[in-house]
Amino acid sequence: MENREFARVLAETADLMEIAGEDGFRIRSYRNAASAIEGYPERVDDILANPERKVTDIPGVGKGLASVLEELSRRGSFEKRDALLAQFPPTLLDLFKIQGLGPKGIALVYQHYKVATIDELERICKEQKLRELPRMGAKLEEKVLKSIAQYRQRTGRFLLSFGQKVAGELIPYLSETGGIEKIAAAGSLRRGKDTIGDLDLLVTGPGAADALDRFVQHPKAHTVLGKGPNKASIQYGLEGLQVDLRALPHESYGAAMQYFTGSKEHNILLRSRALKLGVTLNEYGLFRVDDQQRVAGETEEEVYAALGLAWIPPELRENCGEIEASLEGRLPALIELSDIRGDLHMHTTETDGRATLEEMAEAAHALGYQYIAITDHSKALAMANGLDEKRAVAFAKQVRDLNRSGLPLRIFSGLECDIKRNGEMDLAEDALAELDIVIGSVHSHMNLEATEMTDRLMRALESPSMRVMGHPTGRILLNRDPFPFDFERVASQAARRNVYLEINGSPERLDLSGAMVRTAKALGAKFAISTDSHQTKHLGINMPFGVSMARRGWLEARDVLNTLPLAEFEKAIHKS
Ligand code: DGT
Ligand code: CA
Ligand code: CA
Ligand code: ZN
């Protein structure tokens, strides 16, 4: 069993214990163990198999959980879980994905109406029966229905990071077929969209037909949805991501990349432009209307050039003014990963990170960065052992000393300070003033009305210490929508207050989205692209995702704080 699987089963058990109304302390111990195991560098199974090791070495795993892990590893379940599953159907766990009920509410609808699936819950709400239960009302019914609609909308989509992982498995596998010239991903993945519906791969070369054969034989191709001479589709892995592979002639590669990269709306505009110029555009090439003569098709650049356009980076192909900009020579010089000179959001073992400050610094140095900010949590996140004033001030001093004693790169002392419900900072301003850079983030009370949330963020922007607004919308992709607030008002105020908006590159956040970045840029906002790393490997993995969102928001290097060389960066964060 992989650690991820151990973690999932423990977290599910904790959910079931909540429905059963069990002791909060025990539930928390399951949750803590789940998250510790998920991020643990060694496999639990390996530790269990080694007589010289103990799973109780994993933080948060005591004697009780150690025997749970042992049983789980041995037979795929454990006594406690079996007992809960005898009491409740496993589909009840799906209801946790719907906002508004909480574990008590789920227990209640199950006891009263035997509701155990999302469909049944929807029916109860539509029949206005939910409101008849204690402490529930018409407003909650409405909220639950809305959340169900959102849930349906997002199912069937996958994280960009997951799509990249699958592409990273399939492309090398397919490349092993003989006679392949080119193989690449198109579609929403190439555009860097935050979630993808399916994965679109293209292949050219004399071996392309063999690649289609090899494709449907992949061990993880658990369903073959179709296979013809030029195209095959599979469902990949347990998650069931659809992957389409298309085989194309060499001379059509550019036209096919253009066509299958989309977006559909971008393509529609491009095709109508082609027609005005007396040519037709399809996945095989660009052809003159009068005599069907091929004009272009081998590369994307020549397709765009034949239409009188500069090549348009895939991230911009969303029908949001990119064709006009290309025509008029005002496409942005988009930021690139190599422009990034530091990372400004990361956690360490001081709070909920898995690596020490030194380990994070080492890993950041290996990426070629000039500087980082260490930004652990503040005390409101008690579960994460957040810093209080005293620890924050001591940390600032520790960093000053460390920098003097010599480190592989410059470290700035920071904090990811909670923004309290009323918009105040979690720590006193005199303590915050000791730190080099303070991120203000919302981690609680995310269900406020839009006006209240706007006021809260506007008040936070009054803090003299706050320099970055962390993951500004609070969204968790496929899981939690952005909290509602007046984004334009907040972004404008951030610009006025010289507070940088974070583009959080953590793959399940990608917060801000490209569209919001672009809106904020138009209002004068500046940005910081950060990884929110909780272990060393996140530093390298998450940054490209943040850069993708920035590119989708039309950003150039100069729009982004952490492209600045050290000396200029230091000036930029200096508090007046
Ligand atoms: P997704 O998969 O929902 O994340 O989004 P895409 O953009 O990858 O969409 P997908 O997989 O349906 O198609 C890939 C590209 O192929 C799409 O961006 C544009 C092109 N395409 C597909 N169907 C059509 C169509 O009916 N008309 C046009 N113009 N283009 C299409
Ligand atoms: Ca697609
Ligand atoms: Ca597709
Ligand atoms: Zn955070």
Side-chain angles (χ1 to χ4, degrees):
M1 223 160 130
E2 293 303 319
N3 283 6
R4 206 178 329 119
E5 191 61 11
F6 278 105
R8 190 185 59 79
V9 174
L10 292 184
E12 264 182 28
T13 307
D15 286 347
L16 287 168
M17 286 160 76
E18 279 212 84
I19 301 177
E22 290 191 20
D23 173 44
F25 180 78
R26 281 193 71 187
I27 297 171
R28 262 198 307 285
S29 71
Y30 273 73
R31 291 245 160 83
N32 287 343
S35 74
I37 288 168
E38 195 170 20
Y40 204 67
E42 284 173 88
R43 294 182 70 230
V44 170
D45 264 346
D46 293 345
I47 301 176
L48 285 167
N50 184 343
E52 285 168 14
R53 297 290 312 277
K54 292 195 300 274
V55 278
T56 47
D57 292 344
I58 304 173
V61 176
K63 282 223 175 71
L65 273 156
S67 70
V68 162
L69 291 178
E70 187 276 321
E71 194 180 347
L72 191 51
S73 168
R74 184 162 38 82
R75 64 177 192 88
S77 189
F78 55 99
E79 206 178 316
K80 171 97 211 160
R81 178 169 182 266
D82 293 341
L84 286 162
L85 285 177
Q87 204 179 338
F88 304 107
T91 56
L92 214 50
L93 291 169
D94 293 343
L95 303 191
F96 276 90
K97 294 169 191 151
I98 306 301
Q99 273 151 36
L101 283 181
K104 289 207 181 77
I106 294 172
L108 211 55
V109 291
Y110 179 66
Q111 281 150 14
H112 273 263
Y113 296 125
K114 288 278 160 269
V115 161
T117 65
I118 290 173
D119 287 348
E120 287 161 7
L121 179 63
E122 185 178 33
R123 185 170 47 78
I124 294 294
C125 289
K126 285 198 172 142
E127 291 170 359
Q128 308 195 336
K129 284 185 181 158
L130 188 68
R131 63 181 71 175
E132 288 165 19
L133 296 178
R135 286 186 306 278
M136 302 203 183
K139 232 178 146 176
L140 182 68
E141 266 169 10
E142 207 179 296
K143 182 173 177 183
V144 168
L145 283 173
K146 197 169 140 211
S147 176
I148 291 175
Q150 287 166 352
Y151 171 79
R152 295 240 166 86
Q153 208 176 14
R154 68 191 173 227
T155 46
R157 294 196 70 81
F158 296 83
L159 293 181
L160 175 63
S161 57
F162 181 72
Q164 288 195 347
K165 178 173 158 264
V166 173
E169 289 169 9
L170 281 171
I171 290 175
Y173 166 85
L174 293 170
S175 304
E176 284 167 27
T177 324
I180 298 296
E181 276 171 7
K182 294 207 168 86
I183 173 152
S188 48
L189 185 90
R190 182 165 178 239
R191 303 200 308 281
K193 217 173 157 197
D194 38 30
T195 64
I196 62 162
D198 69 3
L199 179 57
D200 304 282
L201 300 178
L202 305 184
V203 59
T204 66
D210 298 337
L212 289 176
D213 289 334
R214 199 169 150 77
F215 179 58
V216 297
Q217 283 159 18
H218 190 284
K220 287 198 193 171
H222 70 76
T223 311
V224 177
L225 300 166
K227 183 169 180 299
N230 305 316
K231 181 187 166 184
S233 294
I234 60 171
Q235 268 182 336
Y236 187 84
L238 293 175
E239 295 86 354
L241 174 68
Q242 181 174 332
V243 187
D244 300 336
L245 177 66
R246 291 181 179 85
L248 292 142
H250 172 86
E251 66 276 12
S252 297
Y253 181 72
M257 274 307 263
Q258 197 294 310
Y259 183 92
F260 291 111
T261 294
S263 67
K264 197 171 163 186
E265 293 74 18
H266 172 87
N267 287 359
I268 289 170
L269 279 184
L270 212 59
R271 274 206 306 273
S272 71
R273 176 167 176 81
L275 288 176
K276 276 191 215 130
L277 299 174
V279 285
T280 58
L281 177 62
N282 60 36
E283 61 266 53
Y284 298 103
L286 191 65
F287 303 89
R288 276 208 300 258
V289 173
D290 46 16
D291 58 2
Q292 293 303 303
Q293 182 68 38
R294 169 190 289 271
V295 186
E298 198 174 328
T299 67
E300 267 193 342
E301 283 79 358
E302 69 178 35
V303 171
Y304 281 99
L307 295 171
L309 299 167
W311 179 80
I312 301 175
E315 295 92 335
L316 304 186
R317 300 183 196 172
E318 299 288 353
N319 181 23
C320 53
E322 70 278 12
I323 292 178
E324 295 88 320
S326 167
L327 202 57
E328 292 160 16
R330 20 172 212 91
L331 283 172
L334 293 182
I335 182 171
E336 292 179 18
L337 183 59
S338 58
D339 292 321
I340 300 291
R341 292 199 158 97
D343 193 336
L344 307 179
H345 187 163
M346 66 192 69
H347 300 271
T348 71
T349 44
E350 273 300 302
T351 61
D352 60 353
R354 307 250 172 262
T356 62
L357 177 148
E358 287 78 10
E359 288 163 340
M360 294 304 272
E362 195 68 37
H365 177 62
L367 292 172
Y369 290 157
Q370 296 180 2
Y371 51 88
I372 54 171
I374 301 282
T375 56
D376 271 309
H377 288 291
S378 66
K379 67 182 186 219
L381 281 190
M383 285 243 317
N385 187 28
L387 276 64
D388 59 10
E389 280 83 356
K390 210 170 143 212
R391 278 171 71 205
V393 172
F395 171 65
K397 176 170 185 326
Q398 180 203 344
V399 169
R400 281 193 295 272
D401 293 346
L402 274 171
N403 280 314
R404 259 183 242 120
S405 73
L407 278 165
L409 80 179
R410 176 67 185 273
I411 297 192
F412 291 96
S413 63
L415 187 75
E416 185 183 17
C417 185
D418 259 58
I419 297 173
K420 294 199 283 192
R421 184 186 168 135
N422 64 5
E424 270 175 30
M425 289 285 140
D426 185 25
L427 300 197
E429 286 293 342
D430 58 347
L432 294 179
E434 295 288 313
L435 297 156
D436 296 319
I437 182 165
V438 173
I439 304 171
S441 296
V442 166
H443 289 121
S444 60
H445 304 290
M446 278 177 267
N447 53 357
L448 302 183
E449 296 291 332
T451 52
E452 208 180 335
M453 187 58 93
T454 307
D455 291 346
R456 177 186 189 178
L457 296 173
M458 293 295 276
R459 175 150 184 211
L461 287 169
E462 294 302 309
S463 158
S465 306
M466 180 167 150
R467 186 53 69 230
V468 179
M469 182 173 274
H471 42 72
T473 79
R475 76 170 177 175
I476 302 291
L477 289 165
L478 310 178
N479 195 333
R480 186 171 76 207
D481 282 341
F483 44 70
F485 67 106
D486 185 341
F487 177 65
E488 300 195 5
R489 208 171 135 217
V490 169
S492 308
Q493 181 70 355
R496 274 193 292 275
R497 295 281 306 155
N498 199 18
V499 170
Y500 296 81
L501 298 181
E502 181 176 82
I503 302 174
N504 186 301
S506 173
E508 48 290 320
R509 287 192 185 271
L510 302 182
D511 184 7
L512 297 171
S513 70
M516 291 182 99
V517 167
R518 191 149 181 236
T519 303
K521 177 177 167 165
L523 296 167
K526 298 271 187 213
F527 304 86
I529 307 178
S530 304
T531 60
D532 202 349
S533 290
H534 285 71
Q535 43 182 303
T536 52
K537 70 175 182 192
H538 292 164
L539 291 166
I541 293 173
N542 295 3
M543 189 57 83
F545 292 115
V547 172
S548 279
M549 294 306 115
R551 288 171 65 89
R552 287 175 63 80
W554 293 51
L555 295 194
E556 306 194 347
R558 61 178 173 187
D559 298 314
V560 176
L561 174 63
N562 47 321
T563 62
L564 293 175
L566 177 59
E568 288 176 48
F569 172 79
E570 209 172 352
K571 259 184 245 154
I573 60 168
H574 192 74
K575 285 155 284 187
S576 42

